[in-house]
Amino acid sequence: MNAPRGEAIEHFVAKWQRREPEMAQAEVFCPPAQRPRYRAWGSLLHELREAAFELSDARVAEVKSQWWAEELLGLAEGRSRHPVTAPLAGTPADWPALVHALVELPATLVRPGDTAAALKRFDVLAAAIARTEAQLFDTAPGPRDADAVAVHLLLHRLPEGLAAEDQAGLPMNLLARHGLTAAQVAAGQGEPLLRDWAGELLAALPPASAHPGLFRRLRGGFDRARLARLAAGRGFDPPGPFTTLLRAWRLARRG
């Protein structure tokens, strides 16, 4: 990678790590030869998530998603236009399958009736992400990697996604159980509902030890910690730096 592009990727890595500071701390446990790919993959997933879920203008989201689809198809041919994708160029990953999953996603963004339906709508995308990730890091795909990705996508739509069109995918049965509207939850009136939601996502999250790959094992362990805090009424933020570093060390040793 040339120097200007190497410097440019730092902007996108910083964006990702502001949202997922645990992964910045855990980077020290990633083998040095894999760190450029670790950082690029995390940053790419962040950019894709932003384009798919977090842009308020639907037209801008469509254009940005289409741009990323073209970029990923270029990766399949060994080409890269973006600093984030440069470290991933030439890897034997099934980029077209990930593109297909991203393109098909908007049609699936309907309000789910329950937690199972909320997770199921990410089946294709989560499976494509898990498969691509295993290929990038040359690991065997875990049988429940896709489950962890689906939980991750729902968890990290909180809290900002509560104000989105699909209210971060909150199931309708939870709203009915608590007698709340999605607007009330977005306005801060839904802490008991969010505790229940975190508990249901925790139940669906595989144990971190189920993931052969370091990246997913770390992310799954950190998501479990975040969900446990939310279920206990302690908010959306991750645990503190020392606790996170100790958790990262333990998760890395399980490999």
Side-chain angles (χ1 to χ4, degrees):
M1 188 189 307
N2 59 38
R5 182 167 283 199
E7 294 168 3
I9 194 175
E10 295 303 323
H11 165 75
F12 298 96
V13 171
K15 275 180 64 179
W16 164 49
Q17 292 180 345
R18 280 194 296 271
R19 287 287 294 275
E20 302 181 36
E22 313 101 310
M23 297 299 276
Q25 285 188 264
E27 184 178 310
V28 68
F29 300 109
C30 179
Q34 288 191 2
R35 284 179 195 168
R37 196 168 295 181
Y38 173 100
R39 304 175 98 221
W41 177 239
S43 302
L44 175 61
L45 288 180
H46 178 269
E47 293 299 315
L48 295 179
R49 190 172 67 211
E50 180 183 74
F53 305 121
E54 298 176 1
L55 299 175
S56 58
D57 187 314
R59 177 57 184 161
V60 173
E62 180 182 356
V63 170
K64 195 165 185 177
S65 295
Q66 181 61 40
W67 191 93
W68 278 111
E70 293 173 359
E71 181 71 358
L72 296 183
L73 289 175
L75 278 180
E77 300 173 359
R79 293 182 286 103
S80 165
R81 299 173 295 175
H82 196 282
V84 160
T85 57
L88 308 177
T91 54
D94 189 358
W95 298 110
L98 181 54
V99 170
H100 175 76
L102 288 166
V103 169
E104 293 298 315
L105 181 63
T108 71
L109 290 182
V110 295
R111 290 296 303 279
D114 55 23
T115 299
L119 291 165
K120 184 173 178 55
R121 69 180 184 159
F122 290 116
D123 275 356
V124 175
L125 178 59
I129 289 174
R131 185 167 53 251
T132 303
E133 187 172 286
Q135 292 167 337
L136 284 176
F137 293 102
D138 194 24
T139 61
R144 298 198 62 196
D145 283 0
D147 295 339
V149 173
V151 170
H152 172 79
L153 291 172
L154 284 167
L155 167 61
H156 286 264
R157 300 216 46 223
L158 298 171
E160 289 83 358
L162 292 170
E165 184 178 354
D166 72 335
Q167 287 80 47
L170 286 180
M172 289 185 286
N173 70 331
L174 278 182
L175 292 169
R177 183 189 306 168
H178 289 269
L180 293 170
T181 66
Q184 288 173 318
V185 177
Q189 301 177 39
E191 183 179 316
L193 182 151
L194 290 172
R195 290 202 303 267
D196 280 359
W197 180 222
E200 296 203 8
L201 291 178
L202 260 177
L205 184 67
S209 58
H211 308 303
L214 176 64
F215 189 98
R216 190 50 46 190
R217 190 162 65 253
L218 289 168
R219 190 61 264 171
F222 295 147
D223 286 345
R224 180 169 295 280
R226 286 197 185 214
L227 285 168
R229 286 173 60 85
L230 184 57
R234 298 172 66 189
F236 301 99
D237 293 334
F242 178 77
T243 301
T244 294
L245 188 63
L246 182 59
R247 179 172 289 110
W249 175 70
R250 289 172 174 165
L251 290 166
R253 290 185 67 201
R254 293 180 189 177

